[in-house]
PDB file of all heavy atoms in Angstrom:
ATOM      1  N   GLU Q 422     -15.765  12.338  10.020  1.00 98.00           N
ATOM      2  CA  GLU Q 422     -16.055  11.020   9.431  1.00 98.00           C
ATOM      3  C   GLU Q 422     -17.186  11.247   8.434  1.00 98.00           C
ATOM      4  O   GLU Q 422     -18.005  12.156   8.608  1.00 98.00           O
ATOM      5  CB  GLU Q 422     -16.473   9.992  10.500  1.00 98.00           C
ATOM      6  CG  GLU Q 422     -17.743  10.352  11.248  1.00 98.00           C
ATOM      7  CD  GLU Q 422     -18.313   9.216  12.110  1.00 98.00           C
ATOM      8  OE1 GLU Q 422     -17.659   8.165  12.254  1.00 98.00           O
ATOM      9  OE2 GLU Q 422     -19.440   9.387  12.613  1.00 98.00           O
ATOM     10  N   ARG Q 454      -9.325  15.839  10.351  1.00 96.00           N
ATOM     11  CA  ARG Q 454      -9.093  15.708  11.798  1.00 96.00           C
ATOM     12  C   ARG Q 454      -7.856  16.504  12.184  1.00 96.00           C
ATOM     13  O   ARG Q 454      -6.837  16.423  11.494  1.00 96.00           O
ATOM     14  CB  ARG Q 454      -8.887  14.231  12.192  1.00 96.00           C
ATOM     15  CG  ARG Q 454     -10.135  13.411  11.979  1.00 96.00           C
ATOM     16  CD  ARG Q 454      -9.993  11.982  12.457  1.00 96.00           C
ATOM     17  NE  ARG Q 454     -11.136  11.229  11.959  1.00 96.00           N
ATOM     18  CZ  ARG Q 454     -11.323   9.925  12.115  1.00 96.00           C
ATOM     19  NH1 ARG Q 454     -10.424   9.212  12.785  1.00 96.00           N
ATOM     20  NH2 ARG Q 454     -12.386   9.330  11.624  1.00 96.00           N
ATOM     21  N   GLU Q 456      -5.182  16.311  13.745  1.00 90.00           N
ATOM     22  CA  GLU Q 456      -4.286  15.320  14.352  1.00 90.00           C
ATOM     23  C   GLU Q 456      -3.043  16.018  14.888  1.00 90.00           C
ATOM     24  O   GLU Q 456      -2.432  16.821  14.187  1.00 90.00           O
ATOM     25  CB  GLU Q 456      -3.847  14.283  13.307  1.00 90.00           C
ATOM     26  CG  GLU Q 456      -4.979  13.522  12.640  1.00 90.00           C
ATOM     27  CD  GLU Q 456      -5.446  12.328  13.462  1.00 90.00           C
ATOM     28  OE1 GLU Q 456      -4.973  12.161  14.595  1.00 90.00           O
ATOM     29  OE2 GLU Q 456      -6.313  11.582  12.947  1.00 90.00           O
ATOM     30  N   PHE Q 464       0.045   8.052   6.291  1.00 96.00           N
ATOM     31  CA  PHE Q 464      -0.692   7.160   7.199  1.00 96.00           C
ATOM     32  C   PHE Q 464      -1.696   7.964   8.036  1.00 96.00           C
ATOM     33  O   PHE Q 464      -2.829   7.556   8.224  1.00 96.00           O
ATOM     34  CB  PHE Q 464       0.284   6.425   8.129  1.00 96.00           C
ATOM     35  CG  PHE Q 464      -0.414   5.516   9.102  1.00 96.00           C
ATOM     36  CD1 PHE Q 464      -0.773   4.239   8.730  1.00 96.00           C
ATOM     37  CD2 PHE Q 464      -0.735   5.950  10.383  1.00 96.00           C
ATOM     38  CE1 PHE Q 464      -1.448   3.407   9.609  1.00 96.00           C
ATOM     39  CE2 PHE Q 464      -1.412   5.122  11.271  1.00 96.00           C
ATOM     40  CZ  PHE Q 464      -1.761   3.843  10.884  1.00 96.00           C
ATOM     41  N   ARG Q 465      -1.253   9.094   8.561  1.00 95.00           N
ATOM     42  CA  ARG Q 465      -2.147   9.911   9.393  1.00 95.00           C
ATOM     43  C   ARG Q 465      -1.997  11.362   8.965  1.00 95.00           C
ATOM     44  O   ARG Q 465      -0.945  11.962   9.140  1.00 95.00           O
ATOM     45  CB  ARG Q 465      -1.782   9.772  10.871  1.00 95.00           C
ATOM     46  CG  ARG Q 465      -2.822  10.354  11.813  1.00 95.00           C
ATOM     47  CD  ARG Q 465      -2.384  10.313  13.267  1.00 95.00           C
ATOM     48  NE  ARG Q 465      -1.915   9.016  13.702  1.00 95.00           N
ATOM     49  CZ  ARG Q 465      -2.708   7.987  13.997  1.00 95.00           C
ATOM     50  NH1 ARG Q 465      -4.007   8.122  13.915  1.00 95.00           N
ATOM     51  NH2 ARG Q 465      -2.202   6.839  14.384  1.00 95.00           N
ATOM     52  N   THR Q 466      -3.035  11.920   8.379  1.00 96.00           N
ATOM     53  CA  THR Q 466      -2.962  13.289   7.874  1.00 96.00           C
ATOM     54  C   THR Q 466      -4.150  14.095   8.381  1.00 96.00           C
ATOM     55  O   THR Q 466      -5.104  13.545   8.937  1.00 96.00           O
ATOM     56  CB  THR Q 466      -2.967  13.286   6.333  1.00 96.00           C
ATOM     57  OG1 THR Q 466      -4.005  12.411   5.876  1.00 96.00           O
ATOM     58  CG2 THR Q 466      -1.648  12.792   5.782  1.00 96.00           C
ATOM     59  N   PHE Q 469      -8.063  13.623   4.684  1.00 98.00           N
ATOM     60  CA  PHE Q 469      -7.913  12.302   4.067  1.00 98.00           C
ATOM     61  C   PHE Q 469      -9.261  11.881   3.500  1.00 98.00           C
ATOM     62  O   PHE Q 469     -10.275  12.556   3.716  1.00 98.00           O
ATOM     63  CB  PHE Q 469      -7.412  11.271   5.099  1.00 98.00           C
ATOM     64  CG  PHE Q 469      -8.230  11.209   6.356  1.00 98.00           C
ATOM     65  CD1 PHE Q 469      -9.193  10.227   6.536  1.00 98.00           C
ATOM     66  CD2 PHE Q 469      -8.051  12.149   7.365  1.00 98.00           C
ATOM     67  CE1 PHE Q 469      -9.958  10.171   7.699  1.00 98.00           C
ATOM     68  CE2 PHE Q 469      -8.819  12.101   8.519  1.00 98.00           C
ATOM     69  CZ  PHE Q 469      -9.770  11.120   8.694  1.00 98.00           C
ATOM     70  N   GLN Q 471     -12.164   8.896   3.157  1.00 98.00           N
ATOM     71  CA  GLN Q 471     -12.678   7.658   3.748  1.00 98.00           C
ATOM     72  C   GLN Q 471     -13.563   6.924   2.746  1.00 98.00           C
ATOM     73  O   GLN Q 471     -14.184   7.542   1.872  1.00 98.00           O
ATOM     74  CB  GLN Q 471     -13.501   7.969   5.000  1.00 98.00           C
ATOM     75  CG  GLN Q 471     -12.665   8.421   6.177  1.00 98.00           C
ATOM     76  CD  GLN Q 471     -13.489   8.528   7.446  1.00 98.00           C
ATOM     77  OE1 GLN Q 471     -14.584   9.091   7.425  1.00 98.00           O
ATOM     78  NE2 GLN Q 471     -12.974   8.021   8.544  1.00 98.00           N
ATOM     79  N   GLU Q 473     -16.597   4.577   3.474  1.00 98.00           N
ATOM     80  CA  GLU Q 473     -17.392   4.051   4.602  1.00 98.00           C
ATOM     81  C   GLU Q 473     -18.713   3.491   4.093  1.00 98.00           C
ATOM     82  O   GLU Q 473     -19.315   4.020   3.156  1.00 98.00           O
ATOM     83  CB  GLU Q 473     -17.669   5.155   5.619  1.00 98.00           C
ATOM     84  CG  GLU Q 473     -16.414   5.710   6.247  1.00 98.00           C
ATOM     85  CD  GLU Q 473     -16.689   6.406   7.561  1.00 98.00           C
ATOM     86  OE1 GLU Q 473     -17.314   7.486   7.541  1.00 98.00           O
ATOM     87  OE2 GLU Q 473     -16.282   5.883   8.616  1.00 98.00           O
ATOM     88  N   TYR Q 521     -19.266   5.570  20.065  1.00 80.00           N
ATOM     89  CA  TYR Q 521     -20.491   5.044  19.467  1.00 80.00           C
ATOM     90  C   TYR Q 521     -20.489   3.521  19.339  1.00 80.00           C
ATOM     91  O   TYR Q 521     -21.467   2.937  18.910  1.00 80.00           O
ATOM     92  CB  TYR Q 521     -20.677   5.653  18.064  1.00 80.00           C
ATOM     93  CG  TYR Q 521     -19.426   5.556  17.197  1.00 80.00           C
ATOM     94  CD1 TYR Q 521     -19.004   4.346  16.664  1.00 80.00           C
ATOM     95  CD2 TYR Q 521     -18.664   6.695  16.948  1.00 80.00           C
ATOM     96  CE1 TYR Q 521     -17.851   4.259  15.892  1.00 80.00           C
ATOM     97  CE2 TYR Q 521     -17.512   6.616  16.179  1.00 80.00           C
ATOM     98  CZ  TYR Q 521     -17.119   5.401  15.663  1.00 80.00           C
ATOM     99  OH  TYR Q 521     -15.976   5.316  14.907  1.00 80.00           O
ATOM    100  N   GLU Q 538      -3.630   0.101  12.189  1.00 96.00           N
ATOM    101  CA  GLU Q 538      -4.987   0.013  11.623  1.00 96.00           C
ATOM    102  C   GLU Q 538      -5.029   0.419  10.157  1.00 96.00           C
ATOM    103  O   GLU Q 538      -4.508   1.454   9.764  1.00 96.00           O
ATOM    104  CB  GLU Q 538      -5.917   0.940  12.422  1.00 96.00           C
ATOM    105  CG  GLU Q 538      -7.317   1.022  11.843  1.00 96.00           C
ATOM    106  CD  GLU Q 538      -8.200   2.047  12.540  1.00 96.00           C
ATOM    107  OE1 GLU Q 538      -7.859   2.486  13.660  1.00 96.00           O
ATOM    108  OE2 GLU Q 538      -9.238   2.404  11.952  1.00 96.00           O
ATOM    109  N   LEU Q 539      -5.693  -0.434   9.389  1.00 98.00           N
ATOM    110  CA  LEU Q 539      -5.934  -0.130   7.978  1.00 98.00           C
ATOM    111  C   LEU Q 539      -7.409   0.239   7.825  1.00 98.00           C
ATOM    112  O   LEU Q 539      -7.766   1.164   7.108  1.00 98.00           O
ATOM    113  CB  LEU Q 539      -5.626  -1.412   7.192  1.00 98.00           C
ATOM    114  CG  LEU Q 539      -5.576  -1.408   5.689  1.00 98.00           C
ATOM    115  CD1 LEU Q 539      -4.650  -0.319   5.172  1.00 98.00           C
ATOM    116  CD2 LEU Q 539      -5.090  -2.768   5.198  1.00 98.00           C
ATOM    117  N   GLU Q 540      -8.250  -0.491   8.520  1.00 98.00           N
ATOM    118  CA  GLU Q 540      -9.697  -0.300   8.425  1.00 98.00           C
ATOM    119  C   GLU Q 540     -10.337  -0.750   9.733  1.00 98.00           C
ATOM    120  O   GLU Q 540      -9.874  -1.710  10.344  1.00 98.00           O
ATOM    121  CB  GLU Q 540     -10.207  -1.150   7.259  1.00 98.00           C
ATOM    122  CG  GLU Q 540     -11.694  -1.388   7.236  1.00 98.00           C
ATOM    123  CD  GLU Q 540     -12.238  -1.787   5.870  1.00 98.00           C
ATOM    124  OE1 GLU Q 540     -11.459  -1.890   4.896  1.00 98.00           O
ATOM    125  OE2 GLU Q 540     -13.459  -1.988   5.779  1.00 98.00           O
ATOM    126  N   ARG Q 545     -22.084  -0.376  15.557  1.00 95.00           N
ATOM    127  CA  ARG Q 545     -22.501   0.907  16.132  1.00 95.00           C
ATOM    128  C   ARG Q 545     -23.878   0.804  16.768  1.00 95.00           C
ATOM    129  O   ARG Q 545     -24.408   1.811  17.259  1.00 95.00           O
ATOM    130  CB  ARG Q 545     -22.478   2.014  15.065  1.00 95.00           C
ATOM    131  CG  ARG Q 545     -21.088   2.345  14.549  1.00 95.00           C
ATOM    132  CD  ARG Q 545     -21.064   3.443  13.486  1.00 95.00           C
ATOM    133  NE  ARG Q 545     -21.205   4.771  14.028  1.00 95.00           N
ATOM    134  CZ  ARG Q 545     -20.414   5.807  13.742  1.00 95.00           C
ATOM    135  NH1 ARG Q 545     -19.392   5.665  12.912  1.00 95.00           N
ATOM    136  NH2 ARG Q 545     -20.628   6.989  14.271  1.00 95.00           N
ATOM    137  N   GLU Q 578     -20.481  -1.146  10.484  1.00 98.00           N
ATOM    138  CA  GLU Q 578     -19.795  -0.172   9.652  1.00 98.00           C
ATOM    139  C   GLU Q 578     -18.362  -0.576   9.317  1.00 98.00           C
ATOM    140  O   GLU Q 578     -17.491  -0.510  10.178  1.00 98.00           O
ATOM    141  CB  GLU Q 578     -19.755   1.175  10.392  1.00 98.00           C
ATOM    142  CG  GLU Q 578     -18.930   2.231   9.682  1.00 98.00           C
ATOM    143  CD  GLU Q 578     -18.500   3.334  10.625  1.00 98.00           C
ATOM    144  OE1 GLU Q 578     -17.702   3.078  11.555  1.00 98.00           O
ATOM    145  OE2 GLU Q 578     -18.951   4.463  10.430  1.00 98.00           O
ATOM    146  N   ALA Q 580     -15.164   0.845   7.831  1.00 98.00           N
ATOM    147  CA  ALA Q 580     -14.684   2.204   7.539  1.00 98.00           C
ATOM    148  C   ALA Q 580     -13.202   2.139   7.182  1.00 98.00           C
ATOM    149  O   ALA Q 580     -12.361   1.832   8.026  1.00 98.00           O
ATOM    150  CB  ALA Q 580     -14.894   3.107   8.747  1.00 98.00           C
ATOM    151  N   GLY Q 582      -9.701   3.829   4.940  1.00 98.00           N
ATOM    152  CA  GLY Q 582      -9.099   5.079   4.481  1.00 98.00           C
ATOM    153  C   GLY Q 582      -8.490   4.866   3.099  1.00 98.00           C
ATOM    154  O   GLY Q 582      -7.790   3.882   2.882  1.00 98.00           O
TER     155      GLY Q 582
HETATM  156  N1  GAP D 181     -16.750   6.241  10.891  1.00 54.91           N
HETATM  157  C1  GAP D 181     -15.772   5.486  11.626  1.00 54.91           C
HETATM  158  C2  GAP D 181     -14.433   6.042  11.549  1.00 54.91           C
HETATM  159  O1  GAP D 181     -14.230   7.153  11.103  1.00 54.91           O
HETATM  160  P1  GAP D 181     -11.946   5.538  12.101  1.00 54.91           P
HETATM  161  O2  GAP D 181     -11.305   4.239  12.509  1.00 54.91           O
HETATM  162  O3  GAP D 181     -11.697   6.725  12.952  1.00 54.91           O
HETATM  163  O4  GAP D 181     -13.498   5.200  12.002  1.00 54.91           O
HETATM  164  C3  GAP D 181     -11.725   4.944   9.576  1.00 54.91           C
HETATM  165  O5  GAP D 181     -11.533   5.874  10.610  1.00 54.91           O
HETATM  166  C4  GAP D 181     -10.492   4.869   8.708  1.00 54.91           C
HETATM  167  O6  GAP D 181     -10.149   6.157   8.206  1.00 54.91           O
HETATM  168  C5  GAP D 181      -9.217   4.389   9.423  1.00 54.91           C
HETATM  169  O7  GAP D 181      -9.164   2.991   9.508  1.00 54.91           O
HETATM  170  C6  GAP D 181      -8.129   4.946   8.526  1.00 54.91           C
HETATM  171  O8  GAP D 181      -7.919   4.096   7.411  1.00 54.91           O
HETATM  172  C7  GAP D 181      -8.740   6.250   8.053  1.00 54.91           C
HETATM  173  N2  GAP D 181      -8.233   7.373   8.856  1.00 54.91           N
HETATM  174  C8  GAP D 181      -8.681   7.797  10.058  1.00 54.91           C
HETATM  175  N3  GAP D 181      -7.996   8.870  10.478  1.00 54.91           N
HETATM  176  C9  GAP D 181      -7.083   9.142   9.516  1.00 54.91           C
HETATM  177  C10 GAP D 181      -6.074  10.142   9.359  1.00 54.91           C
HETATM  178  N4  GAP D 181      -5.898  11.112  10.246  1.00 54.91           N
HETATM  179  N5  GAP D 181      -5.305  10.096   8.222  1.00 54.91           N
HETATM  180  C11 GAP D 181      -5.494   9.143   7.292  1.00 54.91           C
HETATM  181  N6  GAP D 181      -6.439   8.200   7.384  1.00 54.91           N
HETATM  182  C12 GAP D 181      -7.225   8.186   8.472  1.00 54.91           C
END
Side-chain angles (χ1 to χ4, degrees):
E422 62 169 7
R454 294 184 191 176
E456 302 276 6
F464 179 84
R465 192 185 309 283
T466 47
F469 53 99
Q471 288 188 314
E473 298 201 291
Y521 50 72
E538 175 186 344
L539 189 52
E540 164 159 0
R545 294 180 78 130
E578 174 200 66

